[in-house]
PDB file of all heavy atoms in Angstrom:
ATOM      1  N   ILE A1470     -12.024  13.314  20.560  1.00 98.00           N
ATOM      2  CA  ILE A1470     -12.715  12.711  21.704  1.00 98.00           C
ATOM      3  C   ILE A1470     -13.670  13.783  22.229  1.00 98.00           C
ATOM      4  O   ILE A1470     -13.255  14.769  22.837  1.00 98.00           O
ATOM      5  CB  ILE A1470     -11.726  12.281  22.796  1.00 98.00           C
ATOM      6  CG1 ILE A1470     -10.752  11.236  22.246  1.00 98.00           C
ATOM      7  CG2 ILE A1470     -12.477  11.725  24.007  1.00 98.00           C
ATOM      8  CD1 ILE A1470      -9.635  10.860  23.214  1.00 98.00           C
ATOM      9  N   SER A1472     -16.421  15.510  24.479  1.00 97.00           N
ATOM     10  CA  SER A1472     -16.788  15.422  25.892  1.00 97.00           C
ATOM     11  C   SER A1472     -17.535  16.686  26.302  1.00 97.00           C
ATOM     12  O   SER A1472     -17.942  17.500  25.465  1.00 97.00           O
ATOM     13  CB  SER A1472     -15.522  15.229  26.740  1.00 97.00           C
ATOM     14  OG  SER A1472     -15.844  15.016  28.092  1.00 97.00           O
ATOM     15  N   ASP A1474     -18.259  19.265  30.230  1.00 96.00           N
ATOM     16  CA  ASP A1474     -17.821  19.496  31.609  1.00 96.00           C
ATOM     17  C   ASP A1474     -18.364  18.434  32.559  1.00 96.00           C
ATOM     18  O   ASP A1474     -17.700  18.054  33.532  1.00 96.00           O
ATOM     19  CB  ASP A1474     -18.270  20.882  32.074  1.00 96.00           C
ATOM     20  CG  ASP A1474     -17.475  22.006  31.416  1.00 96.00           C
ATOM     21  OD1 ASP A1474     -16.497  21.704  30.692  1.00 96.00           O
ATOM     22  OD2 ASP A1474     -17.838  23.184  31.616  1.00 96.00           O
ATOM     23  N   PHE A1477     -16.017  15.583  32.552  1.00 96.00           N
ATOM     24  CA  PHE A1477     -14.618  16.013  32.477  1.00 96.00           C
ATOM     25  C   PHE A1477     -13.675  14.964  33.053  1.00 96.00           C
ATOM     26  O   PHE A1477     -12.553  14.786  32.564  1.00 96.00           O
ATOM     27  CB  PHE A1477     -14.449  17.350  33.222  1.00 96.00           C
ATOM     28  CG  PHE A1477     -13.051  17.913  33.163  1.00 96.00           C
ATOM     29  CD1 PHE A1477     -12.560  18.438  31.978  1.00 96.00           C
ATOM     30  CD2 PHE A1477     -12.244  17.911  34.292  1.00 96.00           C
ATOM     31  CE1 PHE A1477     -11.269  18.964  31.917  1.00 96.00           C
ATOM     32  CE2 PHE A1477     -10.956  18.431  34.242  1.00 96.00           C
ATOM     33  CZ  PHE A1477     -10.466  18.964  33.055  1.00 96.00           C
ATOM     34  N   ASP A1478     -14.112  14.257  34.092  1.00 94.00           N
ATOM     35  CA  ASP A1478     -13.249  13.255  34.734  1.00 94.00           C
ATOM     36  C   ASP A1478     -12.917  12.088  33.811  1.00 94.00           C
ATOM     37  O   ASP A1478     -11.937  11.369  34.041  1.00 94.00           O
ATOM     38  CB  ASP A1478     -13.907  12.724  36.010  1.00 94.00           C
ATOM     39  CG  ASP A1478     -15.245  12.035  35.730  1.00 94.00           C
ATOM     40  OD1 ASP A1478     -16.148  12.702  35.179  1.00 94.00           O
ATOM     41  OD2 ASP A1478     -15.389  10.851  36.063  1.00 94.00           O
ATOM     42  N   LEU A1479     -13.721  11.876  32.755  1.00 96.00           N
ATOM     43  CA  LEU A1479     -13.487  10.756  31.843  1.00 96.00           C
ATOM     44  C   LEU A1479     -12.514  11.103  30.718  1.00 96.00           C
ATOM     45  O   LEU A1479     -12.016  10.202  30.034  1.00 96.00           O
ATOM     46  CB  LEU A1479     -14.812  10.295  31.222  1.00 96.00           C
ATOM     47  CG  LEU A1479     -15.858   9.738  32.184  1.00 96.00           C
ATOM     48  CD1 LEU A1479     -17.101   9.325  31.413  1.00 96.00           C
ATOM     49  CD2 LEU A1479     -15.297   8.557  32.965  1.00 96.00           C
ATOM     50  N   GLN A1480     -12.228  12.378  30.527  1.00 97.00           N
ATOM     51  CA  GLN A1480     -11.359  12.778  29.428  1.00 97.00           C
ATOM     52  C   GLN A1480      -9.955  12.204  29.583  1.00 97.00           C
ATOM     53  O   GLN A1480      -9.368  11.666  28.634  1.00 97.00           O
ATOM     54  CB  GLN A1480     -11.310  14.301  29.332  1.00 97.00           C
ATOM     55  CG  GLN A1480     -12.639  14.929  28.965  1.00 97.00           C
ATOM     56  CD  GLN A1480     -12.590  16.445  28.936  1.00 97.00           C
ATOM     57  OE1 GLN A1480     -11.524  17.052  28.883  1.00 97.00           O
ATOM     58  NE2 GLN A1480     -13.762  17.079  28.963  1.00 97.00           N
ATOM     59  N   GLU A1481      -9.403  12.301  30.783  1.00 95.00           N
ATOM     60  CA  GLU A1481      -8.046  11.784  31.017  1.00 95.00           C
ATOM     61  C   GLU A1481      -7.989  10.283  30.771  1.00 95.00           C
ATOM     62  O   GLU A1481      -7.035   9.771  30.168  1.00 95.00           O
ATOM     63  CB  GLU A1481      -7.592  12.103  32.439  1.00 95.00           C
ATOM     64  CG  GLU A1481      -6.167  11.658  32.728  1.00 95.00           C
ATOM     65  CD  GLU A1481      -5.685  12.056  34.110  1.00 95.00           C
ATOM     66  OE1 GLU A1481      -6.475  12.654  34.869  1.00 95.00           O
ATOM     67  OE2 GLU A1481      -4.514  11.764  34.424  1.00 95.00           O
ATOM     68  N   LEU A1482      -9.010   9.553  31.222  1.00 95.00           N
ATOM     69  CA  LEU A1482      -9.036   8.102  31.032  1.00 95.00           C
ATOM     70  C   LEU A1482      -9.139   7.747  29.548  1.00 95.00           C
ATOM     71  O   LEU A1482      -8.451   6.834  29.071  1.00 95.00           O
ATOM     72  CB  LEU A1482     -10.209   7.501  31.795  1.00 95.00           C
ATOM     73  CG  LEU A1482     -10.416   5.994  31.636  1.00 95.00           C
ATOM     74  CD1 LEU A1482      -9.182   5.229  32.091  1.00 95.00           C
ATOM     75  CD2 LEU A1482     -11.653   5.537  32.404  1.00 95.00           C
ATOM     76  N   ALA A1483      -9.984   8.464  28.808  1.00 97.00           N
ATOM     77  CA  ALA A1483     -10.143   8.195  27.379  1.00 97.00           C
ATOM     78  C   ALA A1483      -8.822   8.396  26.634  1.00 97.00           C
ATOM     79  O   ALA A1483      -8.445   7.579  25.782  1.00 97.00           O
ATOM     80  CB  ALA A1483     -11.228   9.099  26.794  1.00 97.00           C
ATOM     81  N   VAL A1484      -8.109   9.456  26.957  1.00 97.00           N
ATOM     82  CA  VAL A1484      -6.814   9.723  26.320  1.00 97.00           C
ATOM     83  C   VAL A1484      -5.780   8.688  26.762  1.00 97.00           C
ATOM     84  O   VAL A1484      -5.002   8.176  25.946  1.00 97.00           O
ATOM     85  CB  VAL A1484      -6.326  11.148  26.653  1.00 97.00           C
ATOM     86  CG1 VAL A1484      -4.893  11.356  26.158  1.00 97.00           C
ATOM     87  CG2 VAL A1484      -7.252  12.180  26.034  1.00 97.00           C
ATOM     88  N   LEU A1485      -5.792   8.356  28.043  1.00 95.00           N
ATOM     89  CA  LEU A1485      -4.840   7.373  28.579  1.00 95.00           C
ATOM     90  C   LEU A1485      -4.974   6.029  27.860  1.00 95.00           C
ATOM     91  O   LEU A1485      -3.981   5.414  27.458  1.00 95.00           O
ATOM     92  CB  LEU A1485      -5.069   7.195  30.077  1.00 95.00           C
ATOM     93  CG  LEU A1485      -4.225   6.117  30.786  1.00 95.00           C
ATOM     94  CD1 LEU A1485      -2.762   6.525  30.779  1.00 95.00           C
ATOM     95  CD2 LEU A1485      -4.713   5.895  32.213  1.00 95.00           C
ATOM     96  N   VAL A1498      -4.634  14.430  17.875  1.00 98.00           N
ATOM     97  CA  VAL A1498      -5.742  14.119  18.783  1.00 98.00           C
ATOM     98  C   VAL A1498      -6.264  15.406  19.419  1.00 98.00           C
ATOM     99  O   VAL A1498      -5.490  16.214  19.947  1.00 98.00           O
ATOM    100  CB  VAL A1498      -5.304  13.137  19.882  1.00 98.00           C
ATOM    101  CG1 VAL A1498      -6.461  12.854  20.846  1.00 98.00           C
ATOM    102  CG2 VAL A1498      -4.793  11.834  19.271  1.00 98.00           C
ATOM    103  N   TYR A1499      -7.580  15.564  19.353  1.00 98.00           N
ATOM    104  CA  TYR A1499      -8.266  16.675  20.014  1.00 98.00           C
ATOM    105  C   TYR A1499      -9.165  16.130  21.114  1.00 98.00           C
ATOM    106  O   TYR A1499      -9.746  15.045  20.973  1.00 98.00           O
ATOM    107  CB  TYR A1499      -9.154  17.447  19.040  1.00 98.00           C
ATOM    108  CG  TYR A1499      -8.448  18.175  17.923  1.00 98.00           C
ATOM    109  CD1 TYR A1499      -8.223  17.549  16.705  1.00 98.00           C
ATOM    110  CD2 TYR A1499      -8.050  19.506  18.068  1.00 98.00           C
ATOM    111  CE1 TYR A1499      -7.606  18.218  15.653  1.00 98.00           C
ATOM    112  CE2 TYR A1499      -7.431  20.190  17.027  1.00 98.00           C
ATOM    113  CZ  TYR A1499      -7.209  19.540  15.826  1.00 98.00           C
ATOM    114  OH  TYR A1499      -6.601  20.207  14.782  1.00 98.00           O
ATOM    115  N   VAL A1500      -9.310  16.888  22.188  1.00 98.00           N
ATOM    116  CA  VAL A1500     -10.355  16.644  23.181  1.00 98.00           C
ATOM    117  C   VAL A1500     -11.276  17.851  23.145  1.00 98.00           C
ATOM    118  O   VAL A1500     -10.826  18.991  23.309  1.00 98.00           O
ATOM    119  CB  VAL A1500      -9.779  16.450  24.599  1.00 98.00           C
ATOM    120  CG1 VAL A1500     -10.904  16.502  25.637  1.00 98.00           C
ATOM    121  CG2 VAL A1500      -9.050  15.127  24.711  1.00 98.00           C
ATOM    122  N   GLY A1501     -12.552  17.597  22.890  1.00 98.00           N
ATOM    123  CA  GLY A1501     -13.518  18.685  22.824  1.00 98.00           C
ATOM    124  C   GLY A1501     -14.323  18.772  24.103  1.00 98.00           C
ATOM    125  O   GLY A1501     -14.858  17.758  24.567  1.00 98.00           O
ATOM    126  N   GLY A1502     -14.405  19.957  24.686  1.00 97.00           N
ATOM    127  CA  GLY A1502     -15.159  20.145  25.917  1.00 97.00           C
ATOM    128  C   GLY A1502     -15.929  21.451  25.913  1.00 97.00           C
ATOM    129  O   GLY A1502     -16.043  22.117  24.877  1.00 97.00           O
ATOM    130  N   ASN A1503     -16.422  21.836  27.075  1.00 98.00           N
ATOM    131  CA  ASN A1503     -17.200  23.075  27.201  1.00 98.00           C
ATOM    132  C   ASN A1503     -16.334  24.223  27.714  1.00 98.00           C
ATOM    133  O   ASN A1503     -15.922  25.085  26.950  1.00 98.00           O
ATOM    134  CB  ASN A1503     -18.395  22.876  28.127  1.00 98.00           C
ATOM    135  CG  ASN A1503     -19.362  21.819  27.639  1.00 98.00           C
ATOM    136  OD1 ASN A1503     -19.804  20.974  28.408  1.00 98.00           O
ATOM    137  ND2 ASN A1503     -19.691  21.837  26.360  1.00 98.00           N
ATOM    138  N   THR A1504     -16.063  24.237  29.024  1.00 98.00           N
ATOM    139  CA  THR A1504     -15.299  25.342  29.608  1.00 98.00           C
ATOM    140  C   THR A1504     -14.058  24.872  30.360  1.00 98.00           C
ATOM    141  O   THR A1504     -13.132  25.655  30.565  1.00 98.00           O
ATOM    142  CB  THR A1504     -16.181  26.152  30.575  1.00 98.00           C
ATOM    143  OG1 THR A1504     -16.599  25.311  31.666  1.00 98.00           O
ATOM    144  CG2 THR A1504     -17.416  26.692  29.869  1.00 98.00           C
ATOM    145  N   LEU A1505     -14.041  23.609  30.785  1.00 98.00           N
ATOM    146  CA  LEU A1505     -12.903  23.087  31.542  1.00 98.00           C
ATOM    147  C   LEU A1505     -11.795  22.634  30.597  1.00 98.00           C
ATOM    148  O   LEU A1505     -12.047  21.891  29.647  1.00 98.00           O
ATOM    149  CB  LEU A1505     -13.346  21.913  32.422  1.00 98.00           C
ATOM    150  CG  LEU A1505     -14.420  22.237  33.474  1.00 98.00           C
ATOM    151  CD1 LEU A1505     -14.814  20.985  34.238  1.00 98.00           C
ATOM    152  CD2 LEU A1505     -13.917  23.321  34.433  1.00 98.00           C
ATOM    153  N   VAL A1506     -10.574  23.086  30.849  1.00 97.00           N
ATOM    154  CA  VAL A1506      -9.448  22.839  29.956  1.00 97.00           C
ATOM    155  C   VAL A1506      -8.762  21.525  30.299  1.00 97.00           C
ATOM    156  O   VAL A1506      -8.314  21.324  31.439  1.00 97.00           O
ATOM    157  CB  VAL A1506      -8.428  23.992  30.033  1.00 97.00           C
ATOM    158  CG1 VAL A1506      -7.222  23.704  29.140  1.00 97.00           C
ATOM    159  CG2 VAL A1506      -9.088  25.307  29.629  1.00 97.00           C
ATOM    160  N   PHE A1507      -8.662  20.632  29.323  1.00 97.00           N
ATOM    161  CA  PHE A1507      -7.921  19.386  29.503  1.00 97.00           C
ATOM    162  C   PHE A1507      -6.448  19.668  29.229  1.00 97.00           C
ATOM    163  O   PHE A1507      -6.078  20.070  28.120  1.00 97.00           O
ATOM    164  CB  PHE A1507      -8.432  18.314  28.537  1.00 97.00           C
ATOM    165  CG  PHE A1507      -7.644  17.030  28.598  1.00 97.00           C
ATOM    166  CD1 PHE A1507      -7.912  16.106  29.595  1.00 97.00           C
ATOM    167  CD2 PHE A1507      -6.637  16.769  27.687  1.00 97.00           C
ATOM    168  CE1 PHE A1507      -7.172  14.928  29.673  1.00 97.00           C
ATOM    169  CE2 PHE A1507      -5.909  15.593  27.747  1.00 97.00           C
ATOM    170  CZ  PHE A1507      -6.172  14.676  28.749  1.00 97.00           C
ATOM    171  N   ASP A1508      -5.589  19.441  30.238  1.00 96.00           N
ATOM    172  CA  ASP A1508      -4.159  19.717  30.083  1.00 96.00           C
ATOM    173  C   ASP A1508      -3.292  18.590  30.639  1.00 96.00           C
ATOM    174  O   ASP A1508      -2.147  18.815  31.045  1.00 96.00           O
ATOM    175  CB  ASP A1508      -3.798  21.038  30.763  1.00 96.00           C
ATOM    176  CG  ASP A1508      -4.141  21.052  32.253  1.00 96.00           C
ATOM    177  OD1 ASP A1508      -4.630  20.013  32.771  1.00 96.00           O
ATOM    178  OD2 ASP A1508      -3.927  22.085  32.914  1.00 96.00           O
ATOM    179  N   LYS A1509      -3.829  17.380  30.649  1.00 93.00           N
ATOM    180  CA  LYS A1509      -3.105  16.242  31.213  1.00 93.00           C
ATOM    181  C   LYS A1509      -2.130  15.598  30.225  1.00 93.00           C
ATOM    182  O   LYS A1509      -1.318  14.771  30.608  1.00 93.00           O
ATOM    183  CB  LYS A1509      -4.103  15.179  31.701  1.00 93.00           C
ATOM    184  CG  LYS A1509      -5.084  15.662  32.763  1.00 93.00           C
ATOM    185  CD  LYS A1509      -4.383  16.035  34.043  1.00 93.00           C
ATOM    186  CE  LYS A1509      -5.401  16.416  35.123  1.00 93.00           C
ATOM    187  NZ  LYS A1509      -4.751  16.791  36.399  1.00 93.00           N
ATOM    188  N   ASP A1510      -2.232  15.954  28.951  1.00 96.00           N
ATOM    189  CA  ASP A1510      -1.374  15.359  27.930  1.00 96.00           C
ATOM    190  C   ASP A1510      -1.002  16.469  26.952  1.00 96.00           C
ATOM    191  O   ASP A1510      -1.853  16.993  26.230  1.00 96.00           O
ATOM    192  CB  ASP A1510      -2.117  14.229  27.206  1.00 96.00           C
ATOM    193  CG  ASP A1510      -1.226  13.448  26.250  1.00 96.00           C
ATOM    194  OD1 ASP A1510      -0.389  14.078  25.568  1.00 96.00           O
ATOM    195  OD2 ASP A1510      -1.366  12.214  26.167  1.00 96.00           O
ATOM    196  N   ALA A1511       0.292  16.798  26.920  1.00 94.00           N
ATOM    197  CA  ALA A1511       0.747  17.916  26.100  1.00 94.00           C
ATOM    198  C   ALA A1511       0.596  17.658  24.607  1.00 94.00           C
ATOM    199  O   ALA A1511       0.583  18.596  23.804  1.00 94.00           O
ATOM    200  CB  ALA A1511       2.207  18.226  26.422  1.00 94.00           C
ATOM    201  N   SER A1512       0.475  16.387  24.213  1.00 95.00           N
ATOM    202  CA  SER A1512       0.349  16.055  22.791  1.00 95.00           C
ATOM    203  C   SER A1512      -1.084  16.167  22.292  1.00 95.00           C
ATOM    204  O   SER A1512      -1.349  15.998  21.104  1.00 95.00           O
ATOM    205  CB  SER A1512       0.863  14.635  22.538  1.00 95.00           C
ATOM    206  OG  SER A1512       0.014  13.674  23.153  1.00 95.00           O
ATOM    207  N   VAL A1513      -2.012  16.442  23.199  1.00 97.00           N
ATOM    208  CA  VAL A1513      -3.429  16.543  22.852  1.00 97.00           C
ATOM    209  C   VAL A1513      -3.850  18.006  22.869  1.00 97.00           C
ATOM    210  O   VAL A1513      -3.505  18.751  23.785  1.00 97.00           O
ATOM    211  CB  VAL A1513      -4.293  15.738  23.847  1.00 97.00           C
ATOM    212  CG1 VAL A1513      -5.770  15.985  23.597  1.00 97.00           C
ATOM    213  CG2 VAL A1513      -3.986  14.255  23.729  1.00 97.00           C
ATOM    214  N   GLN A1514      -4.600  18.424  21.861  1.00 98.00           N
ATOM    215  CA  GLN A1514      -5.097  19.798  21.805  1.00 98.00           C
ATOM    216  C   GLN A1514      -6.523  19.862  22.321  1.00 98.00           C
ATOM    217  O   GLN A1514      -7.386  19.118  21.872  1.00 98.00           O
ATOM    218  CB  GLN A1514      -5.036  20.347  20.379  1.00 98.00           C
ATOM    219  CG  GLN A1514      -5.467  21.805  20.282  1.00 98.00           C
ATOM    220  CD  GLN A1514      -5.230  22.401  18.905  1.00 98.00           C
ATOM    221  OE1 GLN A1514      -4.349  21.951  18.173  1.00 98.00           O
ATOM    222  NE2 GLN A1514      -6.003  23.410  18.545  1.00 98.00           N
ATOM    223  N   CYS A1515      -6.743  20.751  23.270  1.00 98.00           N
ATOM    224  CA  CYS A1515      -8.077  20.939  23.846  1.00 98.00           C
ATOM    225  C   CYS A1515      -8.822  22.011  23.054  1.00 98.00           C
ATOM    226  O   CYS A1515      -8.290  23.088  22.791  1.00 98.00           O
ATOM    227  CB  CYS A1515      -7.953  21.345  25.314  1.00 98.00           C
ATOM    228  SG  CYS A1515      -9.536  21.606  26.137  1.00 98.00           S
ATOM    229  N   VAL A1516     -10.065  21.690  22.672  1.00 98.00           N
ATOM    230  CA  VAL A1516     -10.911  22.633  21.936  1.00 98.00           C
ATOM    231  C   VAL A1516     -12.206  22.808  22.720  1.00 98.00           C
ATOM    232  O   VAL A1516     -12.869  21.825  23.057  1.00 98.00           O
ATOM    233  CB  VAL A1516     -11.234  22.117  20.515  1.00 98.00           C
ATOM    234  CG1 VAL A1516     -12.052  23.152  19.759  1.00 98.00           C
ATOM    235  CG2 VAL A1516      -9.965  21.782  19.757  1.00 98.00           C
ATOM    236  N   LEU A1517     -12.566  24.056  23.012  1.00 98.00           N
ATOM    237  CA  LEU A1517     -13.729  24.322  23.851  1.00 98.00           C
ATOM    238  C   LEU A1517     -14.868  24.957  23.064  1.00 98.00           C
ATOM    239  O   LEU A1517     -14.637  25.762  22.151  1.00 98.00           O
ATOM    240  CB  LEU A1517     -13.338  25.235  25.011  1.00 98.00           C
ATOM    241  CG  LEU A1517     -12.242  24.706  25.954  1.00 98.00           C
ATOM    242  CD1 LEU A1517     -11.925  25.738  27.031  1.00 98.00           C
ATOM    243  CD2 LEU A1517     -12.663  23.386  26.586  1.00 98.00           C
TER     244      LEU A1517
END
Side-chain angles (χ1 to χ4, degrees):
I1470 299 174
S1472 185
D1474 288 354
F1477 182 71
D1478 61 301
L1479 297 180
Q1480 295 177 17
E1481 183 176 2
L1482 177 59
V1484 172
L1485 176 67
V1498 178
Y1499 295 91
V1500 168
N1503 299 134
T1504 62
L1505 299 178
V1506 178
F1507 176 81
D1508 58 2
K1509 301 295 184 180
D1510 187 320
S1512 67
V1513 173
Q1514 183 172 334
C1515 180
V1516 183
L1517 301 178

